[in-house]
């Protein structure tokens, strides 16, 4: 019999056991230990190959199952009548495992309820508190805050930033042509007295602008308007202006 | 009711955004009575139910907030950089469920329940502001106790912890109960026998 | 008109808050025609004229935004003067959080992150002794760099900065990383070009 084992599908040995119990349609209160142990072993054998981080936890459970199995396999002790007391005292070796499984199952189900709540909440959007600092007196930090409040504040800010980001990108993403950028690159170099560090020529954080800037730099190099050099490995590239003007008539991307 | 109490509350909730305001803060800021504020909140809520309204009133983590309606999500997601909402992993949800229902709880208790190490999940959840350390357990180890935060309530759209869905009932009575009852009866009978 | 265009526009203007949206952005986001958007904006505006509404629609330099009505000023001022722990501390906490996690950081970087001017908050925090100038940035501007103080650690009950709760993984990765990666690729491409 072969199994398709998705390693990530299980949150640990208890989860795996619940999965087996469900699949084999077993009564959780009357687990056939021998059967489930065999199935469990086959599963972890397949999983071990993949070097699970939690391998040791799966192995501990395997040992537990084997111990229970060996206990249940012991012949039922038909004691003398005086010993009847002890027989009643003897617990079903499966009891502890069963109660662990039941307890775990409760929270696993609770987790899926939380998942639903998470989905419902994810579609409600809020807004940032308005900036009231203009109306505010300077000294208002008299409250008890802990590091987690601060983290919370940071989270909110990041959540908000996520909403704002595409807007600012849209605004920033004006069409910048390579030709224009070549011109402003030369102007910028002039303002640096003809020599600048590579990074100083890329003042914008916007990727679209960066790409265009880069392409125009390459174009300027090709036309030998500028030269690029590096003093040593890993030091910053420096860009030098060689010509004050560049021919405009040539098509930037035309074949030479 | 005060003339424009509805407007005042709306303005206040608009300004405070995702910080929201508690009932008593609303009462204080609007200088209205509790009943009036309650009534105004109810009126606002039913007004927002109208189709031509894009926001609604929600009580989250003990504060009232304006949020957009669920049916606006698609439109708003066009504004968002990454339109698939972040969601927690199964491991995180499991840990969070246990912490939420069992708080305060130590890492060891949690790991016993789950049967796997959970350090990483705890760290992730703390980093997301969903759980926090909330004290130390009694005893020699003085282990850290974990509990949920207001952000947890907010994240799952809950007013307070009482709003958590009830834990699933245990599926059936434990079979041991019979045995225990039997044992009790047996021991009683036995005692009687001995004492007789 | 599209069924809930009013609601859509309201929701969009609500979430964008102080930033607002331009007419063409509204049109793009709602996928409605110019006339429809225009009509919806007019309807919204007249709806907000009702006394029971606390916000109104404002157009400033081609950008539409929701703002509280002038007659709400008194109530809002009361909010400003009576700091509620979560609302009025938010700005300071936010700035403090950014300085703590991103130090050393310049004011410009900080404002870029927050999207709002933060001079005042920085001044307040410096006056409280929670942050301090800790050097100057490289480069032409030589901008002041801010960092946290020992008093900051004391205030939050931390031994050292390592004790700060960790940032969630996905938050810890800066969007700038792309740029860095990009820059690295740039320089690689450059070297090849130069050496060719």
């Amino acid at each position: 019999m072969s199994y398709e084992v998705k390693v990530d599908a299980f949150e640990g040995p208890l989860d795996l056991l619940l999965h087996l119990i469900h699949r084999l349609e077993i009564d959780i209160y009357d687990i056939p230990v021998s059967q489930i142990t065999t199935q469990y072993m086959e599963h972890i054998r397949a999983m071990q190959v993949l070097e699970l981080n939690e391998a040791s936890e799966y192995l501990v459970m395997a040992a537990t199952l084997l111990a229970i199995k060996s206990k249940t396999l012991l012949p039922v002790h038909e004691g003398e009548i005086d010993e009847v007391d002890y027989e009643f005292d003897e617990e079903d070796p499966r009891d502890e495992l069963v109660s662990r499984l039941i307890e775990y199952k409760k929270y696993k189900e609770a987790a899926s309820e939380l998942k639903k709540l998470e989905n419902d909440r994810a579609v409600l959007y809020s807004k940032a508190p308005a900036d009231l600092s203009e109306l505010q007196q300077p000294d208002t930090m008299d409250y008890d805050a802990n590091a987690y409040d601060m983290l919370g504040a940071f989270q909110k800010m990041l959540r908000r930033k996520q909403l704002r980001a595409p807007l600012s990108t849209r605004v920033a993403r004006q069409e910048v042509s390579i030709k224009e950028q070549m011109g402003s690159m030369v102007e910028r170099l002039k303002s640096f007295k003809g020599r600048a560090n590579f990074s100083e020529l890329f003042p914008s954080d916007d990727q679209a602008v960066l790409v265009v800037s880069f392409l125009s730099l390459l174009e300027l190099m090709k036309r030998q308007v500028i030269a690029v050099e590096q003093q040593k490995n890993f030091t910053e590239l420096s860009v030098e202006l060689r010509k004050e003007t560049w021919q405009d008539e040539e098509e930037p991307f035309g074949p030479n | 009711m005060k003339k424009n109490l509805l407007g005042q509350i709306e303005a206040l909730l608009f300004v405070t955004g995702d910080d929201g305001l508690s009932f008593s803060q609303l009462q204080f800021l609007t200088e209205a009575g509790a009943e009036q504020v309650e009534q105004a909140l109810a009126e606002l809520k039913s007004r927002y139910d109208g189709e031509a309204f894009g926001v609604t009133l929600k009580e989250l983590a003990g504060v009232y907030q304006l949020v957009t309606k669920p049916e606006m999500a698609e439109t708003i997601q066009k504004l968002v950089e990454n339109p698939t909402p972040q969601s927690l992993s199964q491991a995180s949800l499991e840990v969070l469920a246990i912490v939420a229902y069992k708080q305060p709880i130590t890492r060891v208790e949690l790991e016993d329940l789950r049967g796997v190490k959970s350090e990483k999940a705890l760290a992730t959840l703390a980093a997301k502001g969903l759980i926090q350390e909330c004290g130390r357990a009694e005893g020699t180890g003085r282990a850290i106790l974990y509990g949920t935060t207001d952000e947890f309530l907010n994240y799952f759209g809950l007013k307070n912890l009482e709003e958590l869905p009830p834990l699933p009932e245990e599926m059936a009575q434990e079979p041991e109960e019979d045995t225990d009852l039997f044992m009790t009866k047996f021991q009683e009978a036995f005692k009687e026998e001995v004492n007789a």
Side-chain angles (χ1 to χ4, degrees), chain A, chain B:
Chain A
M1 206 171 170
S2 73
Y3 296 102
E4 282 184 31
V5 183
K6 274 199 242 147
V7 184
D8 294 341
F10 302 111
E11 286 301 328
L14 291 171
D15 198 21
L16 172 54
L17 277 179
L18 281 181
H19 166 78
L20 292 175
I21 287 167
H22 180 73
R23 211 193 51 184
L24 302 171
E25 294 176 356
I26 294 171
D27 177 6
I28 197 168
Y29 290 109
D30 189 17
I31 299 171
V33 182
S34 175
Q35 186 191 0
I36 207 142
T37 307
T38 315
Q39 298 270 329
Y40 183 88
M41 291 308 197
E42 288 197 31
H43 262 84
I44 61 166
R45 214 164 290 143
M47 288 157 84
Q48 258 177 296
V49 180
L50 295 156
E51 287 179 47
L52 270 187
N53 276 340
E54 304 96 0
S56 65
E57 286 145 349
Y58 283 90
L59 292 175
V60 169
M61 179 57 77
T64 309
L65 285 172
L66 287 170
I68 296 172
K69 187 176 155 188
S70 66
K71 271 192 205 162
T72 52
L73 287 180
L74 283 179
V76 178
H77 185 63
E78 294 192 32
E80 323 241 319
I81 302 144
D82 331 355
E83 280 177 332
V84 88
D85 234 12
Y86 297 117
E87 286 226 353
F88 274 114
D89 262 351
E90 232 170 82
E91 273 189 23
D92 187 330
R94 298 172 298 180
D95 281 356
E96 201 204 320
L97 180 62
V98 169
S99 58
R100 279 187 75 191
L101 279 170
I102 287 168
E103 184 75 355
Y104 171 71
K105 192 164 185 274
K106 269 201 299 197
Y107 293 101
K108 192 174 151 63
E109 282 164 19
S112 62
E113 289 298 312
L114 286 184
K115 176 96 212 150
K116 284 182 209 151
L117 292 175
E118 182 189 37
N119 289 340
D120 292 348
R121 174 66 177 93
V123 295
L124 308 180
Y125 292 89
S126 191
K127 80 181 260 295
D131 186 9
L132 300 175
S133 54
E134 291 304 305
L135 303 167
Q136 210 170 321
Q137 292 101 334
D139 217 21
T140 46
M141 235 191 89
D142 284 321
Y143 52 87
D144 283 326
N146 62 35
Y148 289 96
D149 296 329
M150 197 175 58
L151 194 66
F154 196 62
Q155 296 279 9
K156 275 187 182 158
M157 194 266 314
L158 287 165
R159 207 160 28 196
R160 205 177 317 146
K161 188 177 160 60
Q162 205 205 4
L163 268 181
R164 211 187 55 233
L167 276 182
S168 41
T169 324
R170 253 202 301 282
V171 174
R173 202 165 281 160
Q174 308 137 341
E175 292 299 311
V176 184
S177 77
I178 293 182
K179 213 159 103 182
E180 277 168 23
Q181 199 59 17
M182 283 166 74
S184 66
M185 200 68 98
V186 169
E187 286 312 306
R188 202 166 164 79
L189 268 170
K190 281 184 192 163
S191 78
F192 279 102
K193 300 200 171 98
R195 191 178 191 90
N197 282 334
F198 182 82
S199 56
E200 286 170 327
L201 293 173
F202 297 90
S204 172
D205 272 343
D206 183 75
Q207 291 214 356
V209 177
L210 281 174
V211 173
V212 174
S213 305
F214 182 54
L215 292 174
S216 46
L217 205 70
L218 290 177
E219 193 57 36
L220 287 169
M221 270 173 70
K222 202 170 86 189
R223 300 186 189 187
Q224 298 181 328
V225 179
I226 57 167
V228 176
E229 57 179 34
Q230 191 179 30
Q231 303 287 352
K232 268 186 273 167
N233 264 349
F234 310 116
T235 59
E236 215 187 346
L237 296 166
S238 76
V239 183
E240 199 186 351
L241 190 65
R242 290 277 167 86
K243 295 182 194 164
E244 289 284 304
T245 54
W246 51 288
Q247 291 122 330
D248 201 23
E249 54 274 15
E250 203 180 333
E251 278 301 309
F253 283 123
N256 284 3
Chain B
M1 199 193 310
K2 261 181 68 188
K3 249 174 56 190
N4 59 354
L5 185 57
L6 251 66
Q8 277 188 301
I9 292 179
E10 189 177 50
L12 285 168
L13 293 179
F14 176 79
V15 167
T16 50
D18 55 15
D19 281 334
L21 288 166
S22 71
F23 188 86
S24 57
Q25 285 163 346
L26 280 172
Q27 217 189 310
F28 170 78
L29 293 167
T30 57
E31 296 167 21
E35 259 173 65
Q36 290 187 315
V37 172
E38 208 159 320
Q39 199 189 325
L41 285 169
E43 271 183 52
L44 262 183
K45 183 131 183 69
S46 71
R47 177 170 98 195
Y48 292 141
D49 283 343
E51 201 185 43
F53 289 79
V55 298
T56 188
L57 183 66
K58 188 123 179 114
E59 193 185 344
L60 292 168
V63 293
Y64 289 90
Q65 293 185 24
L66 295 181
V67 294
T68 57
K69 290 181 176 176
E71 55 266 37
M72 298 301 157
E74 218 182 304
T75 308
I76 290 171
Q77 273 154 13
K78 288 194 209 154
L79 274 177
V80 183
E81 211 159 45
N82 173 14
T84 32
Q86 289 279 333
S87 60
L88 295 171
S89 69
Q90 183 59 31
S92 294
L93 282 169
E94 246 181 62
V95 170
L96 207 45
I98 297 170
V99 173
Y101 288 96
K102 292 238 154 200
Q103 57 188 312
I105 186 172
T106 66
R107 180 170 57 77
V108 173
E109 289 166 335
L110 174 95
E111 289 176 345
D112 274 356
L113 225 164
R114 290 188 72 216
V116 279
K117 292 255 169 290
S118 307
E119 223 157 353
K120 214 168 147 189
L122 281 172
T124 307
L125 291 170
K128 289 187 189 271
L130 295 169
I131 61 167
Q132 64 185 347
E133 297 180 13
C134 58
R136 296 276 173 166
E138 302 267 313
T140 40
R142 311 217 4 93
I144 295 167
L145 290 166
Y146 294 93
T148 54
T149 60
D150 280 352
E151 172 63 15
F152 164 83
L153 295 173
N154 189 354
Y155 186 84
F156 290 102
L158 302 168
K159 268 186 227 175
N160 49 44
L161 284 173
E162 280 80 63
E163 265 208 340
L164 273 175
L167 264 187
E169 289 291 307
E170 311 234 339
M171 281 149 287
Q173 317 94 312
E174 307 268 325
E176 294 99 87
E177 267 178 40
D178 301 315
T179 322
D180 284 350
L181 187 66
F182 184 79
M183 278 299 283
T184 321
K185 289 281 172 215
F186 180 84
Q187 292 184 327
E188 275 167 20
F190 190 74
K191 261 183 232 157
E192 275 165 36
E193 188 77 14
V194 171
N195 298 338

